[in-house]
Amino acid sequence: MSTLALKGPYWVTVRQYRRTLWLAVAAVAASLTVIGGLRIWDAQTPDPLRADGTWFPADDRASALLRWALEYTGGGMLLLPLLVGAFVAGPLIAREFESGTYTISLTQSVSPATWLRAKLLTSTTAALLTALALTGVFRIGWSGLPGTWYLKWDPAPYAALGIVLFAHLLAAVAVGALIGLLIRRTLVAMAATGVAMGVVLLVLGAFRWSFLPVKTATGPIGSALRVPVDGLMTDTGLLTASGARFDQSVCWDQVNRTPGLDGVEGDGTKLFDRCLAEHGATSQYIDYHPSSHFWPTQLIESGILLALAALAAYAAFRVLRARLP
Protein backbone atom coordinates (compact mmCIF):
# COMPACT_ATOMS: atom_id res chain seq x y z
CA MET A 1 0.00 0.00 0.00
CA SER A 2 2.86 2.37 0.70
CA THR A 3 3.91 2.30 -2.95
CA LEU A 4 0.41 3.46 -3.94
CA ALA A 5 0.32 6.30 -1.42
CA LEU A 6 0.73 9.86 -2.59
CA LYS A 7 4.07 11.40 -1.80
CA GLY A 8 5.72 14.80 -1.84
CA PRO A 9 3.93 17.64 -3.65
CA TYR A 10 1.11 15.30 -4.73
CA TRP A 11 0.23 14.53 -1.12
CA VAL A 12 0.49 18.21 -0.22
CA THR A 13 -1.87 19.21 -3.05
CA VAL A 14 -4.47 16.63 -2.04
CA ARG A 15 -4.26 17.71 1.60
CA GLN A 16 -4.60 21.37 0.68
CA TYR A 17 -7.72 20.86 -1.38
CA ARG A 18 -9.29 17.82 0.27
CA ARG A 19 -12.49 19.78 0.96
CA THR A 20 -12.86 20.53 -2.72
CA LEU A 21 -12.34 16.86 -3.52
CA TRP A 22 -14.95 15.84 -0.97
CA LEU A 23 -17.32 18.40 -2.48
CA ALA A 24 -16.87 16.75 -5.88
CA VAL A 25 -17.60 13.33 -4.33
CA ALA A 26 -20.71 14.74 -2.67
CA ALA A 27 -21.92 16.23 -5.97
CA VAL A 28 -21.55 12.87 -7.71
CA ALA A 29 -23.29 11.07 -4.86
CA ALA A 30 -26.19 13.55 -4.87
CA SER A 31 -26.58 13.21 -8.65
CA LEU A 32 -26.57 9.43 -8.41
CA THR A 33 -29.13 9.47 -5.60
CA VAL A 34 -31.54 11.78 -7.44
CA ILE A 35 -31.22 10.35 -10.94
CA GLY A 36 -30.99 6.75 -9.73
CA GLY A 37 -34.10 7.19 -7.57
CA LEU A 38 -36.04 8.80 -10.42
CA ARG A 39 -34.88 6.07 -12.77
CA ILE A 40 -36.25 3.40 -10.43
CA TRP A 41 -39.52 5.31 -10.02
CA ASP A 42 -39.86 5.74 -13.77
CA ALA A 43 -39.20 2.04 -14.36
CA GLN A 44 -42.11 1.20 -12.03
CA THR A 45 -44.51 3.59 -13.82
CA PRO A 46 -46.83 1.94 -16.39
CA ASP A 47 -45.89 2.55 -19.99
CA PRO A 48 -48.47 5.01 -21.46
CA LEU A 49 -48.20 3.38 -24.91
CA ARG A 50 -50.55 0.47 -25.60
CA ALA A 51 -49.58 -2.43 -27.81
CA ASP A 52 -51.78 -1.04 -30.60
CA GLY A 53 -49.86 2.24 -30.58
CA THR A 54 -52.51 4.34 -28.81
CA TRP A 55 -51.94 6.27 -25.61
CA PHE A 56 -53.75 6.01 -22.30
CA PRO A 57 -53.55 8.32 -19.27
CA ALA A 58 -50.71 7.43 -16.95
CA ASP A 59 -48.74 9.06 -14.18
CA ASP A 60 -45.73 10.40 -16.10
CA ARG A 61 -44.39 12.62 -13.31
CA ALA A 62 -41.43 10.29 -12.86
CA SER A 63 -40.43 10.65 -16.51
CA ALA A 64 -40.90 14.42 -16.42
CA LEU A 65 -38.81 14.78 -13.26
CA LEU A 66 -36.14 12.49 -14.69
CA ARG A 67 -35.91 14.65 -17.81
CA TRP A 68 -35.69 17.76 -15.63
CA ALA A 69 -32.91 16.22 -13.51
CA LEU A 70 -30.96 15.18 -16.61
CA GLU A 71 -31.26 18.69 -18.08
CA TYR A 72 -29.72 20.20 -14.96
CA THR A 73 -27.07 17.49 -14.68
CA GLY A 74 -26.12 17.89 -18.34
CA GLY A 75 -26.01 21.67 -17.95
CA GLY A 76 -23.73 21.32 -14.96
CA MET A 77 -21.44 18.98 -16.86
CA LEU A 78 -21.34 21.46 -19.74
CA LEU A 79 -20.11 24.15 -17.33
CA LEU A 80 -17.68 21.84 -15.54
CA PRO A 81 -14.65 22.89 -17.68
CA LEU A 82 -15.25 26.54 -16.74
CA LEU A 83 -15.33 25.66 -13.04
CA VAL A 84 -12.23 23.44 -13.26
CA GLY A 85 -10.28 26.01 -15.25
CA ALA A 86 -11.21 28.82 -12.86
CA PHE A 87 -10.22 26.70 -9.86
CA VAL A 88 -6.85 25.75 -11.34
CA ALA A 89 -6.09 29.34 -12.36
CA GLY A 90 -7.17 30.87 -9.05
CA PRO A 91 -6.90 28.82 -5.84
CA LEU A 92 -4.48 26.24 -7.23
CA ILE A 93 -1.91 28.47 -8.97
CA ALA A 94 -2.47 32.22 -8.66
CA ARG A 95 -3.18 32.19 -4.93
CA GLU A 96 0.11 30.40 -4.31
CA PHE A 97 1.99 33.28 -5.93
CA GLU A 98 -0.26 35.98 -4.48
CA SER A 99 0.32 34.75 -0.93
CA GLY A 100 3.90 33.58 -1.49
CA THR A 101 3.21 30.08 -0.14
CA TYR A 102 4.76 28.48 -3.23
CA THR A 103 8.17 29.27 -1.74
CA ILE A 104 7.53 26.74 1.04
CA SER A 105 7.28 23.92 -1.50
CA LEU A 106 10.37 25.09 -3.35
CA THR A 107 12.43 24.94 -0.13
CA GLN A 108 11.60 21.22 0.26
CA SER A 109 13.93 20.03 -2.50
CA VAL A 110 11.10 20.32 -5.02
CA SER A 111 11.86 21.97 -8.36
CA PRO A 112 9.40 24.49 -9.84
CA ALA A 113 8.58 22.08 -12.69
CA THR A 114 7.86 19.25 -10.24
CA TRP A 115 5.68 21.58 -8.16
CA LEU A 116 3.61 22.62 -11.18
CA ARG A 117 3.46 19.06 -12.52
CA ALA A 118 2.04 17.84 -9.23
CA LYS A 119 -0.62 20.55 -9.27
CA LEU A 120 -1.67 19.77 -12.83
CA LEU A 121 -1.67 15.98 -12.56
CA THR A 122 -3.63 16.01 -9.31
CA SER A 123 -6.26 18.43 -10.58
CA THR A 124 -6.50 16.63 -13.93
CA THR A 125 -7.02 13.25 -12.28
CA ALA A 126 -9.70 14.60 -9.95
CA ALA A 127 -11.50 16.40 -12.78
CA LEU A 128 -11.47 13.40 -15.13
CA LEU A 129 -12.67 10.99 -12.44
CA THR A 130 -15.49 13.35 -11.49
CA ALA A 131 -16.51 13.72 -15.13
CA LEU A 132 -16.37 9.95 -15.64
CA ALA A 133 -18.63 9.37 -12.63
CA LEU A 134 -21.11 12.05 -13.76
CA THR A 135 -21.14 10.58 -17.26
CA GLY A 136 -22.06 7.20 -15.79
CA VAL A 137 -24.85 8.76 -13.74
CA PHE A 138 -26.15 10.64 -16.78
CA ARG A 139 -26.22 7.45 -18.84
CA ILE A 140 -28.18 5.65 -16.11
CA GLY A 141 -30.95 8.21 -16.42
CA TRP A 142 -30.66 8.63 -20.18
CA SER A 143 -31.14 4.90 -20.84
CA GLY A 144 -34.55 5.01 -19.16
CA LEU A 145 -36.07 7.78 -21.27
CA PRO A 146 -37.89 6.85 -24.50
CA GLY A 147 -37.73 9.06 -27.56
CA THR A 148 -34.41 10.71 -26.73
CA TRP A 149 -32.55 9.58 -29.86
CA TYR A 150 -32.69 13.06 -31.42
CA LEU A 151 -31.65 14.91 -28.26
CA LYS A 152 -28.06 13.66 -28.30
CA TRP A 153 -27.20 16.49 -30.71
CA ASP A 154 -28.11 19.12 -28.10
CA PRO A 155 -25.10 20.70 -26.32
CA ALA A 156 -25.55 19.11 -22.89
CA PRO A 157 -26.22 15.49 -24.00
CA TYR A 158 -23.57 15.87 -26.71
CA ALA A 159 -20.99 16.61 -24.01
CA ALA A 160 -22.32 14.17 -21.43
CA LEU A 161 -22.64 11.17 -23.75
CA GLY A 162 -19.35 11.53 -25.63
CA ILE A 163 -15.64 12.00 -25.02
CA VAL A 164 -15.42 15.70 -25.78
CA LEU A 165 -16.08 16.65 -22.15
CA PHE A 166 -12.81 15.03 -21.08
CA ALA A 167 -10.89 16.97 -23.75
CA HIS A 168 -12.54 20.18 -22.54
CA LEU A 169 -11.34 19.42 -19.01
CA LEU A 170 -7.77 18.83 -20.14
CA ALA A 171 -7.82 22.13 -22.00
CA ALA A 172 -9.35 23.89 -18.98
CA VAL A 173 -6.60 22.64 -16.64
CA ALA A 174 -3.81 23.71 -19.01
CA VAL A 175 -5.34 27.10 -19.86
CA GLY A 176 -6.08 27.73 -16.18
CA ALA A 177 -2.49 26.97 -15.23
CA LEU A 178 -1.12 29.29 -17.91
CA ILE A 179 -3.41 32.17 -16.95
CA GLY A 180 -2.70 31.64 -13.25
CA LEU A 181 1.05 31.85 -13.88
CA LEU A 182 0.66 34.95 -16.02
CA ILE A 183 -1.73 36.94 -13.82
CA ARG A 184 -0.88 35.68 -10.29
CA ARG A 185 -4.00 37.29 -8.80
CA THR A 186 -6.63 34.84 -7.61
CA LEU A 187 -9.90 36.51 -8.56
CA VAL A 188 -8.61 38.08 -11.76
CA ALA A 189 -7.11 34.77 -12.89
CA MET A 190 -10.38 32.94 -12.16
CA ALA A 191 -12.40 35.48 -14.13
CA ALA A 192 -9.98 35.49 -17.05
CA THR A 193 -9.98 31.69 -17.26
CA GLY A 194 -13.76 31.56 -17.07
CA VAL A 195 -13.99 34.01 -19.96
CA ALA A 196 -11.32 32.16 -21.98
CA MET A 197 -12.98 28.76 -21.59
CA GLY A 198 -16.39 30.31 -22.22
CA VAL A 199 -15.11 31.64 -25.53
CA VAL A 200 -13.73 28.19 -26.38
CA LEU A 201 -17.12 26.60 -25.63
CA LEU A 202 -19.00 29.19 -27.70
CA VAL A 203 -16.65 29.02 -30.70
CA LEU A 204 -16.62 25.23 -30.85
CA GLY A 205 -20.37 25.15 -30.36
CA ALA A 206 -20.84 27.57 -33.25
CA PHE A 207 -18.60 25.68 -35.70
CA ARG A 208 -19.08 22.11 -34.43
CA TRP A 209 -21.48 21.07 -37.17
CA SER A 210 -19.25 22.54 -39.87
CA PHE A 211 -16.40 20.09 -39.26
CA LEU A 212 -17.96 17.51 -41.59
CA PRO A 213 -19.90 18.19 -44.83
CA VAL A 214 -23.64 17.79 -44.51
CA LYS A 215 -25.72 15.41 -46.59
CA THR A 216 -28.63 16.77 -48.62
CA ALA A 217 -32.02 15.24 -49.42
CA THR A 218 -34.18 16.80 -52.17
CA GLY A 219 -37.72 16.38 -53.43
CA PRO A 220 -40.60 18.22 -55.13
CA ILE A 221 -42.09 21.21 -53.32
CA GLY A 222 -44.72 19.99 -50.88
CA SER A 223 -43.28 16.49 -50.59
CA ALA A 224 -42.57 15.07 -47.14
CA LEU A 225 -38.80 15.19 -46.77
CA ARG A 226 -37.56 13.59 -43.59
CA VAL A 227 -34.22 13.50 -41.85
CA PRO A 228 -33.05 9.92 -41.33
CA VAL A 229 -33.64 8.48 -37.90
CA ASP A 230 -31.15 9.79 -35.33
CA GLY A 231 -29.96 12.54 -37.68
CA LEU A 232 -29.59 16.29 -37.19
CA MET A 233 -31.23 18.76 -39.59
CA THR A 234 -29.10 21.86 -40.14
CA ASP A 235 -30.95 23.70 -42.91
CA THR A 236 -33.98 23.47 -45.20
CA GLY A 237 -35.20 25.52 -48.15
CA LEU A 238 -36.03 25.63 -51.85
CA LEU A 239 -34.08 24.95 -55.05
CA THR A 240 -34.42 26.39 -58.53
CA ALA A 241 -34.34 24.31 -61.70
CA SER A 242 -30.61 24.96 -62.01
CA GLY A 243 -30.00 23.59 -58.52
CA ALA A 244 -29.31 26.99 -56.93
CA ARG A 245 -30.76 27.63 -53.51
CA PHE A 246 -33.58 30.16 -53.38
CA ASP A 247 -34.39 32.32 -50.36
CA GLN A 248 -38.16 32.00 -50.05
CA SER A 249 -38.31 35.02 -47.73
CA VAL A 250 -38.35 37.05 -50.96
CA CYS A 251 -41.79 35.67 -51.72
CA TRP A 252 -42.96 36.01 -48.13
CA ASP A 253 -42.01 39.69 -48.22
CA GLN A 254 -43.88 40.16 -51.51
CA VAL A 255 -47.04 38.66 -50.00
CA ASN A 256 -46.75 40.73 -46.83
CA ARG A 257 -46.26 43.93 -48.83
CA THR A 258 -49.35 43.36 -50.96
CA PRO A 259 -52.29 45.51 -49.73
CA GLY A 260 -55.46 43.70 -48.68
CA LEU A 261 -53.83 40.34 -48.04
CA ASP A 262 -53.84 38.85 -44.57
CA GLY A 263 -51.11 36.24 -44.40
CA VAL A 264 -50.77 33.59 -47.12
CA GLU A 265 -54.26 32.09 -47.05
CA GLY A 266 -56.51 32.43 -50.07
CA ASP A 267 -55.12 34.90 -52.59
CA GLY A 268 -51.94 35.11 -50.52
CA THR A 269 -51.21 31.46 -51.24
CA LYS A 270 -51.72 32.00 -54.96
CA LEU A 271 -49.44 35.03 -54.94
CA PHE A 272 -46.77 33.08 -53.02
CA ASP A 273 -46.93 30.17 -55.48
CA ARG A 274 -46.79 32.56 -58.44
CA CYS A 275 -43.72 34.23 -56.94
CA LEU A 276 -42.02 30.84 -56.58
CA ALA A 277 -42.80 30.03 -60.19
CA GLU A 278 -41.43 33.37 -61.36
CA HIS A 279 -38.13 32.69 -59.63
CA GLY A 280 -37.98 29.13 -60.93
CA ALA A 281 -38.24 27.35 -57.55
CA THR A 282 -39.09 23.75 -58.41
CA SER A 283 -37.95 21.59 -55.47
CA GLN A 284 -36.98 21.63 -51.82
CA TYR A 285 -34.01 20.36 -49.84
CA ILE A 286 -32.93 19.39 -46.34
CA ASP A 287 -29.33 19.50 -45.11
CA TYR A 288 -28.58 17.10 -42.29
CA HIS A 289 -25.89 15.21 -40.41
CA PRO A 290 -26.53 11.44 -40.26
CA SER A 291 -26.02 9.57 -37.03
CA SER A 292 -22.65 8.34 -38.32
CA HIS A 293 -21.28 11.91 -37.99
CA PHE A 294 -21.72 12.01 -34.21
CA TRP A 295 -18.52 10.25 -33.16
CA PRO A 296 -16.25 11.69 -35.90
CA THR A 297 -17.38 15.16 -34.82
CA GLN A 298 -16.55 14.25 -31.24
CA LEU A 299 -13.08 13.09 -32.28
CA ILE A 300 -12.36 16.21 -34.36
CA GLU A 301 -13.45 18.54 -31.56
CA SER A 302 -11.48 16.53 -29.01
CA GLY A 303 -8.39 16.75 -31.22
CA ILE A 304 -8.69 20.54 -31.37
CA LEU A 305 -9.03 20.73 -27.59
CA LEU A 306 -6.10 18.38 -26.98
CA ALA A 307 -3.93 20.53 -29.25
CA LEU A 308 -5.00 23.60 -27.25
CA ALA A 309 -4.22 21.78 -24.01
CA ALA A 310 -0.76 20.76 -25.20
CA LEU A 311 0.09 24.29 -26.34
CA ALA A 312 -1.17 25.85 -23.10
CA ALA A 313 0.68 23.33 -20.93
CA TYR A 314 3.90 23.89 -22.87
CA ALA A 315 3.50 27.65 -22.54
CA ALA A 316 2.80 27.30 -18.81
CA PHE A 317 6.06 25.43 -18.17
CA ARG A 318 7.96 27.94 -20.30
CA VAL A 319 6.54 30.82 -18.27
CA LEU A 320 7.36 29.02 -15.03
CA ARG A 321 10.93 28.35 -16.19
CA ALA A 322 11.37 32.01 -17.12
CA ARG A 323 10.13 33.31 -13.78
CA LEU A 324 11.50 30.59 -11.49
CA PRO A 325 14.62 29.23 -13.18
Side-chain angles (χ1 to χ4, degrees):
M1 288 295 293
S2 60
T3 58
L4 298 178
L6 294 172
K7 298 179 181 179
Y10 298 94
W11 181 86
V12 172
T13 302
V14 171
R15 288 288 297 174
Q16 277 183 303
Y17 301 102
R18 60 187 181 279
R19 291 182 180 178
T20 303
L21 296 176
W22 280 115
L23 182 62
V25 172
V28 172
S31 300
L32 179 60
T33 300
V34 172
I35 291 181
L38 291 174
R39 177 72 177 84
I40 294 173
W41 182 19
D42 182 63
Q44 296 174 345
T45 303
D47 188 350
L49 185 64
R50 291 193 180 99
D52 60 0
T54 59
W55 292 80
F56 67 93
D59 183 6
D60 61 350
R61 286 180 298 173
S63 179
L65 286 174
L66 181 57
R67 289 177 182 270
W68 175 82
L70 287 176
E71 287 179 3
Y72 275 87
T73 302
M77 295 174 68
L78 194 62
L79 297 177
L80 188 59
L82 277 70
L83 298 176
V84 170
F87 177 80
V88 171
L92 200 68
I93 302 295
R95 190 168 65 183
E96 294 275 337
F97 286 96
E98 190 174 24
S99 62
T101 53
Y102 74 96
T103 57
I104 298 176
S105 297
L106 299 184
T107 59
Q108 306 299 316
S109 300
V110 175
S111 67
T114 301
W115 171 81
L116 180 59
R117 189 180 303 113
K119 297 282 187 183
L120 297 186
L121 288 178
T122 304
S123 57
T124 298
T125 301
L128 292 180
L129 289 177
T130 301
L132 182 62
L134 289 175
T135 298
V137 172
F138 191 90
R139 285 184 174 273
I140 289 174
W142 185 266
S143 63
L145 289 179
T148 57
W149 52 267
Y150 61 93
L151 294 176
K152 71 177 184 180
W153 304 96
D154 292 345
Y158 172 83
L161 295 173
I163 60 174
V164 72
L165 176 62
F166 302 98
H168 271 285
L169 289 173
L170 292 174
V173 170
V175 170
L178 175 60
I179 293 178
L181 287 168
L182 290 172
I183 296 179
R184 300 191 177 193
R185 293 293 183 269
T186 304
L187 295 179
V188 180
M190 292 177 68
T193 303
V195 171
M197 292 309 302
V199 170
V200 170
L201 284 171
L202 290 176
V203 170
L204 288 176
F207 292 97
R208 177 177 297 146
W209 305 121
S210 301
F211 295 156
L212 296 174
V214 296
K215 294 184 178 296
T216 302
T218 60
I221 294 178
S223 62
L225 290 180
R226 300 181 183 275
V227 175
V229 175
D230 212 4
L232 171 69
M233 185 182 72
T234 59
D235 190 23
T236 183
L238 300 179
L239 297 172
T240 65
S242 63
R245 297 191 173 189
F246 172 68
D247 184 3
Q248 57 184 321
S249 64
V250 173
C251 294
W252 290 115
D253 292 340
Q254 181 176 338
V255 172
N256 292 331
R257 289 195 307 266
T258 303
L261 293 181
D262 183 15
V264 296
E265 296 183 0
D267 292 338
T269 301
K270 296 179 181 178
L271 179 60
F272 181 78
D273 292 339
R274 185 164 61 248
C275 176
L276 293 181
E278 292 174 353
H279 288 87
T282 57
S283 59
Q284 60 182 344
Y285 72 91
I286 290 181
D287 288 338
Y288 66 94
H289 284 289
S291 180
S292 59
H293 283 188
F294 182 81
W295 284 109
T297 301
Q298 288 259 340
L299 292 174
I300 294 172
E301 185 172 349
S302 297
I304 295 172
L305 289 165
L306 291 178
L308 173 63
L311 289 174
Y314 175 77
F317 279 96
R318 293 284 295 182
V319 170
L320 181 68
R321 188 176 300 114
R323 294 191 173 183
L324 298 175

